[in-house]
């Protein structure tokens, strides 16, 4: 494949077309400066299936119509004259997006911010750096990597695929759920560090800490755990914050981790898929690379990630337009997060009261997602039961919500809550979405149905 060696200017520019892609038409640009009306908000998400009560923004996010239109302008610009776009526009446009993210997460330098496909890609980048250290003898066989028991599945598998196979000992911190306070999380994490050190016979090279666990969803005291790692001699800290940006406050300088990643398509309104990876500037950060080796290899992760070969980079280019969209809401990103949090707590309490259960975590350990206990009479007794219920809610009631089996522990009463739903709230949600979920579960109870009775929906 004939691939240019470096995206340097060759004199072929098209400022009018590029400006159109960056800014849209002048009328659209003017609209972006005005507050978003209720009618405009409905139109922005009119492409969602209106028959579905979608209380699962957490899984795949949501992209407004105006951002999809901006993405299409970038795609057309690329297809119109790919060579000129590659040499003149691609890297400056990615840099604008990186600078916007740098400001949002309060990183010190734009060089610390790279754009990648998703948080799973970011995890692979970090784990491969530690894999090389084991292979090259920098780390001793048996040195430890600590992660949370509720780490995202692909991240746990990546830890085993990359560093365990290279000789690392992977230790999981078994976090409690339901959780009553941040102190419970801190206590279990300290115990896991003790196990990992094995009485001082092992070095802990890396701790992987979720900012928000995916399932069950809990906001983790990530700054406190990072400081514990520093105090306890853990070499480096990687924060997997796939759900964070647009959901909780992100200040990477304050958190103090070495690596931090968050998706931009979950809660930040970007099209799928794009994420950032923050790598704090240090001597070690120079030895971190994108797993796809391109002509840009060796120029730093941000540049390596900005060109991994011919592909659609448009999801990375619309970040400035997304910032404009967010700033049309009262209070901007902080206003959205505050309202989403208040609403999801309100809806969670409403569901828990209707079902006679409780929340899985206190409001202060929740974000724009919250766990709500399901009635014990549904008999969620396995992961298979939880997934059967989720599929039944989708097929029979057109309600989309993740379900979680929490496990029955020794000593649990027969009426213990073992099933949960994870509800999300995003700007497009309405009260009716949650009432449909409430009524669907109540309907099953009124019919005397448990998970074992549900016929599969194909």
């Amino acid at each position: 494949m004939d691939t240019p060696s470096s995206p340097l200017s060759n004199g072929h520019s098209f400022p009018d077309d590029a400006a159109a892609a960056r800014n849209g038409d002048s009328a659209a640009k003017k609209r972006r400066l005005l507050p978003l009306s209720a009618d405009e908000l409905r139109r922005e998400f009119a492409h969602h299936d209106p028959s579905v009560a979608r209380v699962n923004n957490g899984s795949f996010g949501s992209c407004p119509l105006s951002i999809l239109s901006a993405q299409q302008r970038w795609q057309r610009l690329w297809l119109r004259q790919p060579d000129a776009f590659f040499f003149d526009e691609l890297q400056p446009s990615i840099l604008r997006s990186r600078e916007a993210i740098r400001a949002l997460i309060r990183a010190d330098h734009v060089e610390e911010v790279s754009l990648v496909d998703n948080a799973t890609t970011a995890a692979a980048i970090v784990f491969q750096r530690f894999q090389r250290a084991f292979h090259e003898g920098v780390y001793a066989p048996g040195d430890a990597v600590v992660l949370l028991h509720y780490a995202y599945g692909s991240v746990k598998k990546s830890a085993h695929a990359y560093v365990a196979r290279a000789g690392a000992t992977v230790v999981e911190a078994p976090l409690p759920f339901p959780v009553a306070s941040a102190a419970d999380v801190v206590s279990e994490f300290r115990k896991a560090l003790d196990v990992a050190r094995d009485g001082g016979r092992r070095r802990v090279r890396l701790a992987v800490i979720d900012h928000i666990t995916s399932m069950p969803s809990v906001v983790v005291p990530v700054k406190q755990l990072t400081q514990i790692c520093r105090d306890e001699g853990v070499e480096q800290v990687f924060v997997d914050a796939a759900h964070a940006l647009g959901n909780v406050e992100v200040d990477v300088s304050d958190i103090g981790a070495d690596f931090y990643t968050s998706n931009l398509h979950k809660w930040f309104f970007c099209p799928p898929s794009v994420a950032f990876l923050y790598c704090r500037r240090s001597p070690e950060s120079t030895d971190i690379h994108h797993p796809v080796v391109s002509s840009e290899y060796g120029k730093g992760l941000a540049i390596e990630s900005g060109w991994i070969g011919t592909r659609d980079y448009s999801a990375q280019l619309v970040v400035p337009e997304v910032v404009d969209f967010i700033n049309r809401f009262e209070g901007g990103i902080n206003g959205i997060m505050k309202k989403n949090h208040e609403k999801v707590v309100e809806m969670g309490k409403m569901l828990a009261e209707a079902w006679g259960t409780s929340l899985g975590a206190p409001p202060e350990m929740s974000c724009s997602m919250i766990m709500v206990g399901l009635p014990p009479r549904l008999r969620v007794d396995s992961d298979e039961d939880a997934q059967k219920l989720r599929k039944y809610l989708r097929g029979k009631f057109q309600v989309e919500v993740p379900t979680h089996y929490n496990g029955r522990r020794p000593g649990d009463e027969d009426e213990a809550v073992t099933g949960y739903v994870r509800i999300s709230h995003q700007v497009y949600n309405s009260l009716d979405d949650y009432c449909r979920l409430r009524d669907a579960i109540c309907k099953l109870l009124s019919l005397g149905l448990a998970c074992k009775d549900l016929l599969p929906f194909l």
Side-chain angles (χ1 to χ4, degrees):
M1 183 180 73
D2 182 14
T3 304
S5 60
S6 180
L8 302 176
S9 175
N10 64 354
H12 297 297
S13 61
F14 35 100
D16 293 340
D17 293 334
R22 287 194 297 271
N23 301 317
D25 57 66
S26 58
K29 184 177 181 180
K30 187 177 295 184
R31 284 196 300 273
R32 289 205 299 272
L33 302 177
L34 300 174
L36 200 67
S37 70
D39 284 342
E40 284 179 298
L41 181 59
R42 281 191 289 270
R43 288 196 295 271
E44 286 284 10
F45 297 98
H47 52 292
H48 288 187
D49 186 341
S51 69
V52 176
R54 182 174 174 172
V55 288
N56 181 31
N57 192 85
S59 284
F60 300 107
S62 52
C63 186
L65 190 60
S66 60
I67 302 304
L68 292 174
S69 298
Q71 180 186 29
Q72 290 166 1
R73 288 194 296 271
W74 282 112
Q75 290 169 332
R76 288 194 296 268
L77 186 62
W78 160 262
L79 294 172
R80 178 180 178 179
Q81 222 296 39
D83 294 86
F85 186 90
F86 175 83
F87 282 103
D88 296 335
E89 191 63 31
L90 179 60
Q91 293 309 315
S93 298
I94 290 177
L95 180 59
R96 279 189 291 274
S97 292
R98 289 170 49 216
E99 179 55 46
I101 297 301
R102 184 211 64 78
L104 284 167
I105 67 173
R106 300 173 190 173
D108 292 332
H109 309 283
V110 71
E111 291 80 8
E112 297 175 316
V113 178
S114 303
L115 295 181
V116 296
D117 282 349
N118 48 51
T120 305
T121 302
I125 291 170
V126 174
F127 282 131
Q128 286 185 8
R129 178 246 183 263
F130 286 85
Q131 179 190 53
R132 289 193 297 274
F134 278 101
H135 283 321
E136 294 168 3
V138 177
Y139 298 158
D143 282 355
V145 171
V146 175
L147 69 163
L148 306 187
H149 174 65
Y150 288 124
Y152 191 61
S154 63
V155 173
K156 291 175 74 170
K157 289 185 176 182
S158 294
H160 287 277
Y162 292 119
V163 294
R165 293 183 65 179
T169 300
V170 177
V171 176
E172 295 186 14
L175 300 190
F177 185 82
V179 61
S181 69
D184 295 342
V185 174
V186 171
S187 175
E188 293 299 328
F189 187 75
R190 286 188 182 277
K191 292 176 186 177
L193 285 183
D194 287 341
V195 171
R197 284 193 296 264
D198 190 26
R201 287 180 288 275
R202 282 196 297 245
R203 291 284 304 277
V204 182
R205 298 297 185 175
L206 175 68
V208 183
I209 304 170
D210 298 69
H211 198 155
I212 305 167
T213 55
S214 177
M215 185 66 84
S217 178
V218 175
V219 178
V220 172
V222 64
K223 178 182 177 181
Q224 187 176 358
L225 297 191
T226 300
Q227 186 58 53
I228 289 170
C229 289
R230 301 301 185 206
D231 295 341
E232 299 292 337
V234 176
E235 186 170 288
Q236 293 194 294
V237 177
F238 168 41
V239 175
D240 175 14
H243 287 273
L245 192 62
N247 201 350
V248 292
E249 182 180 357
V250 177
D251 185 334
V252 294
S253 297
D254 184 57
I255 291 169
D258 301 281
F259 309 101
Y260 187 105
T261 185
S262 179
N263 289 315
L264 305 181
H265 54 263
K266 283 187 180 288
W267 294 95
F268 194 68
F269 300 110
C270 281
S273 61
V274 57
F276 76 83
L277 173 59
Y278 161 84
C279 302
R280 188 176 64 169
R281 285 212 299 196
S282 69
E284 292 81 9
S285 66
T286 59
D287 184 32
I288 189 162
H289 300 280
H290 198 281
V292 177
V293 176
S294 75
S295 55
E296 303 306 298
Y297 183 83
K299 298 181 180 179
L301 179 63
I303 302 302
E304 291 180 16
S305 300
W307 180 256
I308 59 171
T310 302
R311 65 185 296 274
D312 184 359
Y313 292 89
S314 59
Q316 300 183 9
L317 305 182
V318 297
V319 172
E321 287 90 341
V322 172
V323 172
D324 285 342
F325 173 79
I326 287 172
N327 286 337
R328 296 185 67 190
F329 290 81
E330 183 178 358
I333 191 169
N334 291 324
I336 292 173
M337 291 190 300
K338 182 176 184 293
K339 184 176 180 180
N340 281 340
H341 174 67
E342 291 173 349
K343 283 294 184 181
V344 84
V345 170
E346 179 186 348
M347 294 299 99
K349 289 180 177 178
M350 180 269 289
L351 293 173
E353 182 178 355
W355 298 337
T357 61
S358 58
L359 303 179
E364 63 270 19
M365 296 187 72
S366 303
C367 46
S368 301
M369 304 184 292
I370 202 164
M371 304 296 294
V372 186
L374 286 164
R377 281 191 290 150
L378 286 177
R379 302 295 303 180
V380 181
D381 291 331
S382 66
D383 291 326
E384 291 74 19
D385 283 345
Q387 293 312 309
K388 183 192 289 188
L389 176 60
R390 178 177 184 176
K391 195 169 185 179
Y392 195 85
L393 290 171
R394 180 191 304 129
K396 180 69 174 178
F397 297 102
Q398 288 75 54
V399 173
E400 188 61 61
V401 65
T403 51
H404 172 65
Y405 169 61
N406 194 49
R408 191 176 295 278
R409 293 166 294 188
D412 276 349
E413 298 178 0
D414 192 52
E415 291 301 302
V417 173
T418 57
Y420 288 80
V421 290
R422 186 193 75 187
I423 63 170
S424 298
H425 191 281
Q426 187 49 287
V427 296
Y428 56 80
N429 283 121
S430 66
L431 174 62
D432 180 64
D433 296 327
Y434 306 93
C435 290
R436 287 174 61 183
L437 171 59
R438 176 198 64 196
D439 295 346
I441 296 298
C442 289
K443 179 69 171 178
L444 295 179
L445 295 176
S446 71
L447 296 173
L449 297 176
C451 286
K452 64 181 178 60
D453 305 312
L454 303 180
L455 297 176
F457 264 83
L458 303 177

